[in-house]
Amino acid sequence: MSLIETPPPLHRTFSQVLEDLGVSDEPTLSMNEVVEAFGDRGLGALILVFSLMALFPWPPGGKAIFAIPIILMSVELAFQRNEVWMPRWALKASLSRPAYAGLISTPFAAPAWLRRWVLTRKIKVGAGPNAPQYIFAPRVRRAVRRRPRGLNFIRLLRAVESLTRPRLTLFTGPISEVIIGILCVLLAVIMAMPVPLGDMLPGLALIFFALGVMQKDGVAVLVGLFFSAVTGGYLLLIWKTVVEIGEHLLGWISRLFG
């Protein structure tokens, strides 16, 4: 029996809970286990988890997979539910625990193909067999290497946690959570839309809203509102661009067949 007692979920930080989820005798990690681990912080925590995962590069349509649970939990947040409700099939979803542990603890680095190319290839300048060849500068080669003690997801999350704390509670009260929940639904829908770079801005807004709900940090909520406004402005710009292109195209077609 271990002599170290695990602190209850309410006294553990978000990063500690994530790390503890990667340590277990069970080979797989289920969504039900994740929900139970966060307790009454589950809504904000799971919105944060899915928003972070959605920022990774995925095939077309992959963002929608993460947008659906975000929408469900945002609706629950807007209706002031204290417990996370998810469909039974979603709670049974699981992934390999070693893969999960590796995802949160592996240091960030350039993609493997880029590292191999920078570290092994030479750049040929000019034409002909005698053209000089150069290798990348040492600082570039160091930048793409995967350093064992480099920045990883958990270290980054701890740094963010150190900046968040309960403050400006006016923006984290019950009425504010209703508004945040509605905004998160809209942001999740936008994130799933096939808009160029349209997932990054709403994803950042969702992350800060989730941090604000979890940490009762009004400053994080204000940052989320800022990114929400930027998202709206970006969508408006895209819409105007599409409308102008459509008008020019219709004008060109009418002149062509007029």
Side-chain angles (χ1 to χ4, degrees):
M1 180 181 296
S2 174
L3 298 178
I4 301 176
E5 295 184 0
T6 302
L10 287 176
H11 300 287
R12 289 184 293 166
T13 64
F14 180 66
S15 58
Q16 287 175 329
V17 176
L18 287 181
E19 283 186 296
D20 292 342
L21 286 172
V23 181
S24 176
D25 294 333
E26 294 293 329
T28 58
L29 172 64
S30 68
M31 182 56 65
N32 185 57
E33 185 178 349
V34 175
V35 171
E36 292 181 351
F38 286 107
D40 63 356
R41 297 184 299 172
L43 286 175
L46 289 174
I47 291 174
L48 178 57
V49 168
F50 283 113
S51 301
L52 287 168
M53 295 180 68
L55 291 182
F56 285 95
W58 297 98
K63 306 292 183 181
I65 297 176
F66 300 103
I68 292 173
I70 292 175
I71 291 172
L72 288 175
M73 287 177 286
S74 299
V75 170
E76 294 178 48
L77 179 64
F79 280 95
Q80 294 288 282
R81 288 181 58 92
N82 294 325
E83 297 181 356
V84 177
W85 178 89
M86 295 183 69
R88 186 174 299 177
W89 60 266
L91 291 174
K92 291 182 178 180
S94 63
L95 75 158
S96 166
R97 201 175 298 268
Y100 165 81
L103 179 65
I104 65 173
S105 62
T106 301
F108 297 135
W113 64 267
L114 181 58
R115 294 202 304 272
R116 288 194 300 268
W117 190 75
V118 171
L119 296 175
T120 61
R121 294 292 297 273
K122 296 181 179 180
I123 302 176
K124 187 175 182 180
V125 180
N130 297 324
Q133 294 182 339
Y134 298 92
I135 61 174
F136 286 92
R139 63 178 181 275
V140 177
R141 295 162 68 88
R142 287 195 299 269
V144 300
R145 285 194 177 97
R146 189 184 296 279
R147 293 176 287 278
R149 297 190 59 81
L151 183 66
N152 60 24
F153 176 78
I154 287 295
R155 291 195 180 100
L156 179 62
L157 188 57
R158 285 179 185 148
V160 174
E161 285 177 336
S162 67
L163 299 176
T164 59
R165 61 183 184 274
R167 52 189 169 180
L168 296 180
T169 54
L170 174 66
F171 297 100
T172 59
I175 297 177
S176 298
E177 286 190 352
V178 173
I179 298 173
I180 291 172
I182 296 172
L183 287 175
C184 286
V185 171
L186 298 176
L187 290 166
V189 172
I190 295 172
M191 187 172 63
M193 295 170 59
V195 179
L197 300 177
D199 56 342
M200 181 64 69
L201 291 173
L204 290 172
L206 285 166
I207 287 171
F208 280 102
F209 278 141
L211 282 171
V213 171
M214 285 176 54
Q215 305 287 79
K216 300 299 180 183
D217 190 345
V219 172
V221 173
L222 290 176
V223 176
L225 289 172
F226 169 76
F227 279 111
S228 299
V230 174
T231 300
Y234 178 72
L235 285 179
L236 182 61
L237 178 62
I238 292 292
W239 173 255
K240 287 185 176 181
T241 303
V242 171
V243 170
E244 289 183 5
I245 292 175
E247 290 176 350
H248 284 296
L249 183 60
L250 289 175
W252 178 77
I253 293 175
S254 63
R255 290 192 299 271
L256 185 64
F257 295 98

